[in-house]
Amino acid sequence: MFDGYDSCSEDTSSSSSSDESEEEVAPLPSSLPIIKNNGQVYTYPDGKSGMATCEMCGMVGVRDAFYSKTKRFCSVSCSRSYSSNSKKASILARLQGKPPTKKAKVLQKQPLVAKLAAYAQYQATLQNQAKTKTAAVPVEGFSWGNYINSNSFTAAPVTCFKHAPMGTCWGDIAEGVRVEVPNTDCSLPTKVFWIAGIVKLAGYNALLRYEGFENDSSLDFWCNICGSDIHPVGWCATSGKPLVPPRSIQHKYTNWKAFLVKRLTGAKTLPPDFSQKVSESMQYPFKTSMRVEVVDKTHLCRTRVAVVDSVVGGRLRLVYEESEDKTDDFWCHMYSPLIHHIGWSRSVGHRFKRSDITKKQDGHFDAPPHLFMKVKEVDAAGEWFKEGMKLEAIDPLNLSAICVATIRKVLADGYLMIGIDGSEAADGSDWFCYHATSPSIFPVGFCEINMIELTPPRGTGYAKLPFKWFDYLRETDSIAAPVKLFNKEVPNHGFHVGMKLEAVDLMEPRLVCVATVTRIIHRLLRIHFDGWEDEYDQWVDCESPDLYPVGWCQLTGYQLQPPALQSSRDSQSSSSKQKKKAKSQQYKGHKKMTSLQLKEELLDGEEYSFLQGTSDQESNGSASYYIKQEP
């Protein structure tokens, strides 16, 4: 790891030739050390310094930091490459914009301003290419770093989000890990780097402190650890980039090489292939023009054909196929249980709205079935769910509520059509589809034992009286779905109450918002949108693909919705508690009346396990299973 900082001569004299001093350059501050890519450390105790230009790549830097006795090259690689006329000509042409007529002297005598401009343009091209691979778009007016620092918040670790980039290969990235980052406390004309350590980690974002600052946090800064400017220690050595200590501390040490060796011995850094892993984890199999089946947002009971219009961070903007102006759209993650391959509805017996389009439009093609999230196989041959059985379910039109529900239809492959008691449309248009292993359905008694408020059926007299399942089952002459049919898995998710994250507002799924985990009931999370009232909270499974680490929006280029301001909340309260600012109702279930506005999207997730224990305590699967006897 430290091969780039091997032994060197620190008393190299500074000499200059007439050719290399044609351009006047202001001397660097005294005692400014520079660590070049060949690992040599140079110090100028007398405050004198000279500038030189690499005859191979045109890089401008301190003469004594250059390679060889003649100081003609900035690195060993440039020295070796100089003998290759083809490579030399290519680089010279890139810098000069025309074929070279001479060798080194042409570049060396080129005006310094022109050389710096050409080099800056070349660096900008490289940076633009890197940003294309891993976009990092800051959110205007909101800073996760300031938000976390000012309130001493903690963020959910990246390992909690298996569907997010690097979620399964985050490794040992933690506080204390060292990286090489651009040095912003420097007056050199070219981009230089220095080593920094992670002081605090918040999702993808890291609070960094330059080496040498010890307990001084005056220049600490936040950055996205997956950004294109963050590199493992040793990257500068292999890439020909200079390491220059910040100007504020350049006087603290006379032997920076010894300082770095001491500080970095035994320290951890990013894996050498970290940037490659980031790039690979942000490659998504879904492509534009792919056709899928997705829930009809105006009639939950059926699906429609939609076309992938764009893919951002694994999230799909789907445009319903019949939308001529492409405004009738729907957002969801590629792992959402709301999307399926073409032909899925017919195969399981789900209602489907046939398109008026008789044939595929040019360029559209069916998404391969293997791209979609697989559900667990179930054995419906023995005892199984039956129509009319009662259960508890998260209301997809009111995601803050768990309601009394009924199985209205049993489909193939373990899928169930569920209706909310007391508020169903006469034509069943607001039934919704959950898989038998879904974490959004629960056995009778789940809310009671976990101290969650259960929403009783409307119009049954239970609005003022305590709801009792035993009485309700007797009055409706129905039975509860057997507890053993529900999923009994609880992953070691790693979430804790108070953790910050970025979460999709499933009522307006195009929006990703600043959010907090406020309750944890085994694998079920209560998500609160910062700045908004609790009535807009949503129950979400811990493995939902609609939850993301802090910094996900910046990494993928998605727009993050910041916490609501006081003025927004006041405006909301004065307008009969309308939906969040800039948000609108998507699902338009018929005859659905609740105290909140109509809710939009089915709750995503995988499975659920029913455990005993205090509802607000976190559980990672250590409690005993809750078995509720049928009345």
Side-chain angles (χ1 to χ4, degrees), residues 133-134 158 164-173 204 225-227 230 232 269-284 555:
K133 297 180 180 179
T134 55
V158 174
M166 302 297 293
T168 58
C169 54
W170 189 245
D172 298 328
I173 300 176
Y204 293 117
I225 207 71
C226 295
I230 311 300
T269 188
L270 301 178
D273 59 346
F274 183 77
S275 61
Q276 180 181 351
K277 287 183 178 179
V278 172
S279 179
E280 291 175 351
S281 67
M282 295 181 66
Q283 302 300 315
Y284 307 105
L555 176 64

Side-chain angles (χ1 to χ4, degrees), residues 56-286:
M56 183 60 200
C57 68
M59 185 178 210
V60 179
V62 178
R63 177 185 302 282
D64 285 355
F66 272 41
Y67 180 74
S68 80
K69 293 182 179 180
T70 57
K71 311 303 179 188
R72 298 170 60 195
F73 308 104
C74 68
S75 65
V76 177
S77 60
C78 282
S79 177
R80 293 174 178 173
S81 300
Y82 185 72
S83 61
S84 174
N85 291 330
S86 60
K87 184 172 183 179
K88 179 183 60 178
S90 175
I91 296 178
L92 289 172
R94 185 163 63 238
L95 288 171
Q96 295 178 285
K98 60 182 180 179
T101 57
K102 298 181 181 180
K103 291 187 178 180
K105 295 297 181 180
V106 175
L107 176 60
Q108 193 171 359
K109 293 182 179 180
Q110 187 180 4
L112 179 59
V113 175
K115 286 186 287 189
L116 290 177
Y119 181 74
Q121 183 178 4
Y122 172 58
Q123 292 291 341
T125 302
L126 294 180
Q127 291 181 6
N128 290 335
Q129 292 174 351
K131 289 179 180 179
T132 302
K133 297 180 180 179
T134 55
V137 180
V139 181
E140 184 177 357
F142 176 76
S143 167
W144 262 119
N146 294 337
Y147 191 56
I148 290 175
N149 278 346
S150 59
N151 299 279
S152 299
F153 291 140
T154 59
V158 174
T159 52
C160 290
F161 310 87
K162 306 302 182 185
H163 58 280
M166 302 297 293
T168 58
C169 54
W170 189 245
D172 298 328
I173 300 176
E175 295 178 6
V177 167
R178 305 311 206 280
V179 293
E180 293 180 352
V181 295
N183 178 4
T184 58
D185 184 25
C186 182
S187 58
L188 291 176
T190 58
K191 187 175 184 179
V192 295
F193 294 79
W194 189 240
I195 296 173
I198 297 178
V199 177
K200 185 174 183 178
L201 203 58
Y204 293 117
N205 292 347
L207 180 63
L208 298 181
R209 181 174 300 169
Y210 289 121
E211 284 295 339
F213 274 82
E214 307 299 337
N215 296 323
D216 182 3
S217 60
S218 59
L219 285 186
D220 288 3
F221 60 98
W222 285 90
C223 69
N224 195 302
I225 207 71
C226 295
S228 58
D229 269 340
I230 311 300
H231 309 282
V233 172
W235 176 84
C236 285
T238 59
S239 304
K241 305 298 182 182
L243 283 173
V244 179
R247 179 173 48 184
S248 303
I249 58 171
Q250 63 189 26
H251 62 280
K252 290 185 65 175
Y253 301 96
T254 58
N255 190 337
W256 281 95
K257 171 199 163 185
F259 168 79
L260 285 182
V261 170
K262 181 179 179 180
R263 291 287 297 173
L264 299 180
T265 299
K268 293 183 177 180
T269 188
L270 301 178
D273 59 346
F274 183 77
S275 61
Q276 180 181 351
K277 287 183 178 179
V278 172
S279 179
E280 291 175 351
S281 67
M282 295 181 66
Q283 302 300 315
Y284 307 105
F286 280 86

